[in-house]
Amino acid sequence: MRTQTWQHAGRYMSALVSQMPKRNGWTIAEQVGDVTPDRTQRLLNRAVWDTTAAMGQVRRFAAAGLDAAASRRRRRGLVVGALDETGQAKQGVATCGVKRQYMGCAGRVANGINTVHLSYVREKVGHALIGARQWIPAEHITDPQASTGMGLPPGLEFRTKGQLAIDICADAYADGLAFDVACGDEVYGNCTQLREFFETHGQAYVLRVASTFMINLPSGDRMTCAQAVSLLAAGTHRREVRSAGTGSKGQRWYAWAWIATASPRHHLLVRRHLRSGELAFHYCHVPEGQTLTKTRLIRAAGLRWPVEEDFEFSKDHFGLDQCQARLYTAIARHTVLVMAALAVCAVTAAHLTDRTDTQAPPPHTPDQQPPPEPGMIPLTVPEVKRLLANALHHPRPPHHDTHWLNWRRRHQARARWFHQRTRLNRDYALVS
């Protein structure tokens, strides 16, 4: 990598942690003091740097930093690898991977792209994104024209989200990372290849599965998870109320049931919401020689949510979903730089927790009076990001703001002229 490339990558990251409301090629270039977006666009599209190796550096930095914070605080806790995907709404059909599909960020079927992520979660310490692979529809890969236009690398093969999760975890294992438990939602729990990959590597997992997921009982019967619960765990005496961990508002209480399967190393963990009665099913595997207790599995199941928080932080504070790039490499590079910015803030927050946490003890009874001084919560990732934003200042040439005001207006005028010419051509074609 050329010196100018990694220097501009650093400026790009400083723009990601700034207080800008939107982070795209134009706003980032203006923030770092460039006179046009050319250098930013070159960094994402044409500059020579190894995106995969950069992601490996982020992965090792985040894991080592969170491990060091845990060691200093003498909190072993569980180390969880949490899998999930997140999307970004997109318009049109030209962006790499864009398709009408279910978008969790929108809560409905919409036009957008989806990326599978792996989060490194240190129980009671911190968490950060350490791996990502964009999901590309098969029709984009098999269409030569679309593949070329979207910048897909030669030889790219179609991979399901479960198979992408295998690739991400394989990279993590190659870097020497180890997880006590791997977690994921139904997309990953229903992937047979992923479960077999984990079992081959001696990886314990707690994966959400659908109510129709089939299990084999010790009696020899084969039935769905929903049928097994109705048969074996219908009564309240079969369930045990336990916390899935501490959230910002206190303990997260659920009723849990533990159902054995024909395999002594596989179990079905059933979670029931105390108010709605909604059931969630977790298919669990613990290899021979590793600790197998209901408490450990419940703790692991409750540690899947930090990946959702990572998505929230990455989008709201670092612009993960604000990238306006269209090509495969550019989207991947923006994602890596966002992950790097998040990792720096997450590791910093983890190391500063003990120094900045002055909260009063939590209440013990519902009618307890509030303390006269509540103290302060420890520094969070968003607050660390704000501190960095205030500390990082880039010198700007004279009249920089006026230059960019005129540049945007001129660029928009040029774009408007070409749009009007395209509309004229279309109108003439309709009339003729």
Side-chain angles (χ1 to χ4, degrees):
M1 180 189 294
R2 295 174 58 191
T3 302
Q4 294 90 336
T5 301
W6 66 258
Q7 286 178 338
H8 197 70
R11 289 194 290 270
Y12 192 103
M13 285 180 57
S14 71
L16 294 178
V17 302
S18 70
Q19 300 292 6
M20 292 189 304
K22 292 293 183 181
R23 297 163 182 81
N24 54 49
W26 291 11
T27 60
I28 288 175
E30 181 179 4
Q31 176 70 20
V32 302
D34 291 342
V35 295
T36 68
D38 293 348
R39 295 175 67 184
T40 296
Q41 292 169 352
R42 181 183 180 279
L43 174 71
L44 296 182
N45 290 287
R46 301 181 302 280
V48 179
W49 57 287
D50 192 330
T51 311
T52 302
M55 187 173 296
Q57 291 283 359
V58 173
R59 178 167 42 247
R60 291 186 291 272
F61 167 80
L66 293 174
D67 289 348
S71 299
R72 196 172 70 180
R73 295 164 62 183
R74 298 180 181 178
R75 293 180 179 177
R76 171 62 178 88
L78 289 178
V79 179
V80 170
L83 291 161
D84 204 353
E85 74 273 359
T86 191
Q88 177 184 355
K90 289 284 189 178
Q91 301 297 324
V93 297
T95 302
C96 173
V98 71
K99 181 180 180 179
R100 283 193 62 80
Q101 55 189 304
Y102 179 79
M103 305 290 293
C105 56
R108 58 183 173 83
V109 175
N111 208 50
I113 61 176
N114 262 315
T115 302
V116 178
H117 286 268
L118 174 66
S119 182
Y120 188 83
V121 183
R122 264 284 187 179
E123 187 179 19
K124 298 181 180 180
V125 175
H127 46 87
L129 298 175
I130 61 169
R133 295 286 180 95
Q134 186 185 356
W135 178 77
I136 308 297
E139 56 267 29
H140 291 180
I141 298 174
T142 56
D143 183 343
Q145 184 175 356
S147 178
T148 302
M150 295 175 179
L152 298 182
L156 183 68
E157 297 180 356
F158 172 72
R159 304 286 280 172
T160 66
K161 292 176 181 176
Q163 291 170 332
L164 292 176
I166 292 175
D167 297 338
I168 297 171
C169 291
D171 290 342
Y173 295 153
D175 279 340
L177 272 64
F179 308 110
D180 294 320
V181 185
C183 295
D185 63 13
E186 292 180 11
V187 172
Y188 309 98
N190 291 332
C191 179
T192 303
Q193 278 185 274
L194 178 60
R195 298 197 309 273
E196 292 176 346
F197 169 81
F198 282 147
E199 294 179 21
T200 300
H201 286 77
Q203 176 66 69
Y205 60 74
V206 177
L207 299 173
R208 283 278 295 271
V209 292
S211 61
T212 55
F213 184 82
M214 303 296 294
I215 61 172
N216 297 313
L217 299 180
S219 62
D221 296 323
R222 181 174 174 81
M223 59 183 66
T224 66
C225 294
Q227 291 171 335
V229 170
S230 298
L231 178 65
L232 302 173
T236 56
H237 65 284
R238 298 275 187 175
R239 298 191 292 266
E240 182 178 356
V241 176
R242 289 196 182 188
S243 171
T246 304
S248 60
K249 299 180 180 179
Q251 297 293 329
R252 296 174 291 143
W253 297 101
Y254 296 94
W256 301 86
W258 197 20
I259 299 176
T261 69
S263 166
R265 311 312 301 179
H266 292 84
H267 292 80
L268 181 66
L269 185 66
V270 184
R271 189 191 72 191
R272 181 180 184 274
H273 196 279
L274 295 180
R275 290 187 178 179
S276 67
E278 181 182 1
L279 297 178
F281 307 93
H282 303 79
Y283 190 62
C284 309
H285 166 73
V286 179
E288 190 74 35
Q290 297 186 23
T291 304
L292 173 58
T293 64
K294 184 195 295 187
T295 300
R296 187 179 177 88
L297 296 181
I298 291 174
R299 285 167 57 198
L303 287 172
R304 191 187 69 84
W305 69 267
V307 67
E308 301 284 355
E309 191 172 81
D310 285 335
F311 292 156
E312 179 184 351
F313 290 162
S314 297
K315 292 182 177 183
D316 293 349
H317 302 286
F318 302 101
L320 178 64
D321 61 343
Q322 296 171 12
C323 176
Q324 294 182 351
R326 293 185 179 276
L327 301 183
Y328 180 86
T329 298
I331 293 173
R333 288 179 171 181
H334 174 78
T335 300
V336 170
L337 294 171
V338 169
M339 289 169 54
L342 172 64
V344 169
C345 295
V347 170
T348 302
H351 280 273
L352 293 177
T353 294
D354 289 340
R355 302 181 191 179
T356 59
D357 186 0
T358 61
Q359 297 174 93
H364 299 291
T365 60
D367 58 350
Q368 184 174 336
Q369 293 297 310
E373 173 51 57
M376 292 186 290
I377 66 170
L379 278 175
T380 61
V381 169
E383 293 299 337
V384 172
K385 177 253 186 187
R386 291 186 183 97
L387 291 173
L388 284 176
N390 293 331
L392 296 173
H393 297 285
H394 290 282
R396 298 179 178 182
H399 311 296
H400 182 74
D401 293 337
T402 303
H403 164 80
W404 269 95
L405 173 67
N406 295 333
W407 189 92
R408 283 192 298 268
R409 292 169 59 203
R410 186 176 295 108
H411 186 92
Q412 289 163 349
R414 184 182 296 111
R416 180 177 296 182
W417 189 91
F418 279 103
H419 285 313
Q420 290 170 345
R421 188 180 70 173
T422 301
R423 177 69 61 86
L424 281 176
N425 288 330
R426 186 167 63 242
D427 291 344
Y428 284 153
L430 291 174
V431 172
S432 60

